[in-house]
Amino acid sequence: MKKFINKIDDVLTESLSGFALAHGDLVTLNLEPNFLTRKQKSSNKVAIISGGGSGHEPLHAGYIGYGMLDAACPGYVFTSPTPDQMLAAATAVHADRGVLFIVKNYAGDVMNFEMAAEMLSFESATVLTSDDCAVINSTYTTGRRGVAGTVIVEKCVGSLAETGADLQACKALGDKVNSRTASMGVALTSCTVPAAGRPTFDISDTELEMGVGIHGEPGRRREAMREADAIVSDCVEAIITDLKTRAIFTTSTHEALLLINGFGATPLMELYLIYNTALKLFNQHGIQISRSLVGNYTTALDMAGASITLCLLDDEIKQHWDSPVHTAALRWNK
Amino acid sequence: MKKFINKIDDVLTESLSGFALAHGDLVTLNLEPNFLTRKQKSSNKVAIISGGGSGHEPLHAGYIGYGMLDAACPGYVFTSPTPDQMLAAATAVHADRGVLFIVKNYAGDVMNFEMAAEMLSFESATVLTSDDCAVINSTYTTGRRGVAGTVIVEKCVGSLAETGADLQACKALGDKVNSRTASMGVALTSCTVPAAGRPTFDISDTELEMGVGIHGEPGRRREAMREADAIVSDCVEAIITDLKTRAIFTTSTHEALLLINGFGATPLMELYLIYNTALKLFNQHGIQISRSLVGNYTTALDMAGASITLCLLDDEIKQHWDSPVHTAALRWNK
């Protein structure tokens, strides 16, 4: 294992400290318990909080700021944060309008966020993200995994919260965005968790893992490596089938957001090549791509691989996707 | 070699097409010859054009847009663009105020941009970037290599050009930023050029390459892998020594921009850890870091590694770094 790290036990603290120093205009870092909040506390809005194991950067701390999250609770690498972190973060940022937790559907995260919610002395609700259509149940989940679509949920819900919408409206939008979103990932290599010191799984130079999770969990099948067009086609078909099966994809044409997400070690050059193919294939299904995001937005440490996420848009989702956002990892004003 | 590609000969076209589709609001792609321009042609300003071999994305096409480049000319992977590309791009974007080429100092790029400049029927000038302090001459260069500091040059010169400044003023600022900037890179793995199909160089699981170039060129020395703090310390010392040797670093305290650049396969978590250490070490040299950039900004395909770039600021450079920019890879309004 070659990584830019010092002592294994210090990786998270040192990385969070660097993040907070680099983005001191946006965030404040609290250590023990670990959580990050916006530099300027918001008032008169629902507080939006996310969190989960580290190793998926810029998720979630990179999405703290105007128009997105109020706080994020990072666990150790691929390990759920503990309830004291969410409790402290919620206490720090809530503004008497309630707290909405956005939680990727993994058993540990779900349990710990639930425990935190029970300990709160103010109102809360939770949006569980579950956009990964690769598998129904998996190593760490009962039900579908939450993956890169989480970014779209956080962006839209964060935007709505800025308008002063109430807790139930924020939860409803988050649930809607999640239900209209499907993702499929492919790994070309494993990732290596620092504390483990060796790759999470073995994969040969001629294989890929179709449907991999963002912790290197198994997907649908191990396959022979192929050309990008063939790989992307299988992902697109999986996404279309999922949306049709769930009766989300009902009309003959649809407008959508296409997110091509790198897992950490895949060059941007390849991500744009994937985008080029995916866009054409979705077009053939009557889907017009009117919003795009290409880059490393929900990573799996140093895994080479990528995921494709499609979110079917409506006017409300478009409005909240397009609205201004000012975070370390997403920033625009239109 | 496992990459998300189809036919080797189509990699560049397919990736550029994906980029242009994903950022259709910002750029227009021309094929044969290959160049990209801003969607909206500017008037009454110096046209800023860069280019170079592909494989360093988002450099350069990711920096096309308001406040930065007017056009970019991508060559094949790690191969200089040809003069017809620069000639066509310059003809497309020039607005009777002249053209400034920003060229990383590699023999092929320098020669081809010079040939293009000689063919132009309007005024041009060139800023050569040479921020890499690792080696004096290298595989592809006479003199220092241009690496991630090029992004800072392109940002500042692009900003000045928007004010209506003339060609010589834009060149002067570019030369100044370059002279006040120093970079040092480290590779943990090689990169793999698609057409080669195998790693550019061999490196064991216990070694690093100190001072590596962005094409995998040799640096200063092959070393045993160490903790991040020790690696970063050597990079910081190399940068400080370089700035002192060139008499750029003259006062006892200085304000600077710190760029931690990933080479393509290094997780953001590690880049922020590097930032944390580098900031403290520069502080010990009396350097206050007031501007930061952390991420993949000048990559080397799928190389695991990172570079540290320090740019000593003055009021003019700060003004042009802070000014609004709207490109695919850099975007802000403050």
Side-chain angles (χ1 to χ4, degrees), chain B residues 185-232:
Chain B
V186 180
L188 304 189
T189 72
S190 176
C191 48
T192 296
V193 175
R198 55 185 167 69
T200 302
F201 61 91
D202 294 318
I203 186 165
S204 80
D205 286 346
T206 59
E207 292 175 313
L208 61 83
E209 178 73 25
M210 176 62 68
V212 71
I214 58 173
H215 310 90
E217 310 98 297
R220 291 186 175 183
R221 54 188 180 270
R222 186 64 59 92
E223 296 181 352
M225 185 64 194
R226 288 167 295 154
E227 290 192 344
D229 283 358
I231 299 168
V232 172

Side-chain angles (χ1 to χ4, degrees), chain A residues 153-172:
Chain A
V153 172
E154 293 182 358
K155 170 70 182 77
C156 293
V157 170
S159 166
L160 180 61
E162 298 290 351
T163 69
D166 69 17
L167 182 61
Q168 290 314 311
C170 290
K171 173 174 166 53

Side-chain angles (χ1 to χ4, degrees), chain A residues 7-262:
Chain A
K7 294 189 174 54
I8 298 286
D9 288 347
D10 297 333
V11 170
L12 182 58
T13 304
E14 291 175 357
S15 181
L16 290 175
S17 297
F19 179 83
L21 287 165
H23 304 289
D25 56 328
L26 288 172
V27 302
T28 299
L29 170 65
N30 187 85
L31 295 174
E32 301 183 21
N34 293 342
F35 65 90
L36 300 99
T37 65
R38 292 191 197 183
K39 186 83 172 181
Q40 304 292 338
K41 182 177 170 176
S42 301
S43 58
N44 199 33
K45 70 179 277 295
V46 174
I48 312 295
I49 300 179
S50 191
S54 294
H56 305 301
E57 290 71 21
L59 195 80
H60 296 275
Y63 303 123
I64 296 173
Y66 180 83
M68 221 160 160
L69 302 180
D70 291 281
C73 304
Y76 289 102
V77 172
F78 293 179
T79 303
S80 172
T82 48
D84 59 312
Q85 294 175 251
M86 288 74 102
L87 184 62
T91 302
V93 300
H94 89 98
D96 298 321
R97 296 292 306 279
V99 169
L100 183 66
F101 292 120
I102 300 177
V103 182
K104 301 189 298 302
N105 183 38
Y106 297 96
D109 291 310
V110 171
M111 181 182 73
N112 286 318
F113 272 93
E114 270 178 8
M115 287 176 62
E118 287 168 10
M119 295 156 73
L120 293 181
S121 58
F122 39 88
E123 195 183 13
S124 72
T126 299
V127 172
L128 282 185
T129 65
S130 56
D131 53 304
D132 190 347
C133 67
V135 290
I136 301 302
N137 298 302
S138 71
T139 313
Y140 303 112
T141 64
T142 303
R144 297 153 59 107
R145 301 176 292 216
V147 290
T150 307
V151 177
I152 307 170
V153 172
E154 293 182 358
K155 170 70 182 77
C156 293
V157 170
S159 166
L160 180 61
E162 298 290 351
T163 69
D166 69 17
L167 182 61
Q168 290 314 311
C170 290
K171 173 174 166 53
L173 177 62
D175 287 340
K176 180 171 84 169
V177 173
N178 181 61
S179 76
R180 295 169 69 94
T181 301
S183 299
M184 185 76 178
V186 180
L188 304 189
T189 72
S190 176
C191 48
T192 296
V193 176
R198 55 185 168 70
T200 301
F201 60 91
D202 294 319
I203 186 164
S204 80
D205 286 346
T206 59
E207 292 175 312
L208 60 83
E209 179 73 24
M210 176 62 68
V212 72
I214 58 172
H215 311 90
E217 311 97 297
R220 292 185 175 184
R221 53 186 180 271
R222 186 66 57 93
E223 296 181 350
M225 184 64 194
R226 289 167 295 153
E227 289 192 343
D229 283 359
I231 299 168
V232 173
S233 177
D234 281 0
C235 292
V236 167
E237 291 304 319
I239 289 167
I240 294 288
T241 299
D242 177 63
L243 293 170
K244 284 186 172 169
T245 303
R246 293 191 290 125
I248 306 298
F249 181 54
T250 50
T251 58
S252 60
T253 62
H254 234 301
E255 188 177 353
L257 183 162
L258 175 56
L259 162 57
I260 306 297
N261 173 60

Side-chain angles (χ1 to χ4, degrees), chain B residues 42 53 71 101 113 120 130 134 138 141 149 175 213 221 230 234 241 250 253 279 324:
Chain B
S42 300
F101 293 121
F113 273 93
L120 294 181
S130 56
S138 71
T141 64
D175 288 339
R221 54 188 180 270
D234 282 359
T241 299
T250 49
T253 63
L279 179 132

Side-chain angles (χ1 to χ4, degrees), chain A residues 1-7 10-23 25 54-55 57-58 77 186-189 194 203-208 225-232 264-277 279-280 292 294 296 299 301-302 304-306 328 331-334, chain B residues 1-7 10-23 25 54-55 57-58 77 186-189 194 203-208 225-232 264-277 279-280 292 294 296 299 301-302 304-306 328 331-334:
Chain A
M1 176 182 67
K2 290 194 289 187
K3 290 180 182 288
F4 292 104
I5 59 176
N6 297 300
K7 294 189 174 54
D10 297 333
V11 170
L12 182 58
T13 304
E14 291 175 357
S15 181
L16 290 175
S17 297
F19 179 83
L21 287 165
H23 304 289
D25 56 328
S54 294
E57 290 71 21
V77 172
V186 180
L188 304 189
T189 72
I203 186 164
S204 80
D205 286 346
T206 59
E207 292 175 312
L208 60 83
M225 184 64 194
R226 289 167 295 153
E227 289 192 343
D229 283 359
I231 299 168
V232 173
T266 295
L268 206 45
M269 194 176 195
E270 296 177 37
L271 299 181
Y272 280 116
L273 189 148
I274 292 170
Y275 180 91
N276 187 54
T277 300
L279 179 133
K280 287 169 186 162
S292 301
V294 182
N296 295 327
T299 60
L301 291 170
D302 53 353
R331 184 166 175 181
W332 59 70
N333 287 273
K334 67 175 176 184
Chain B
M1 176 181 67
K2 289 195 289 187
K3 289 178 183 287
F4 292 105
I5 59 175
N6 297 299
K7 294 187 176 55
D10 297 334
V11 170
L12 182 59
T13 304
E14 291 175 358
S15 182
L16 290 175
S17 297
F19 178 83
L21 287 164
H23 303 290
D25 55 328
S54 293
E57 290 73 21
V77 172
V186 180
L188 304 189
T189 72
I203 186 165
S204 80
D205 286 346
T206 59
E207 292 175 313
L208 61 83
M225 185 64 194
R226 288 167 295 154
E227 290 192 344
D229 283 358
I231 299 168
V232 172
T266 295
L268 207 45
M269 194 177 196
E270 296 177 39
L271 298 182
Y272 280 116
L273 189 148
I274 292 171
Y275 180 91
N276 187 55
T277 300
L279 179 132
K280 287 170 186 163
S292 301
V294 183
N296 294 327
T299 60
L301 292 169
D302 54 352
R331 185 167 174 179
W332 58 70
N333 286 272
K334 70 175 171 184

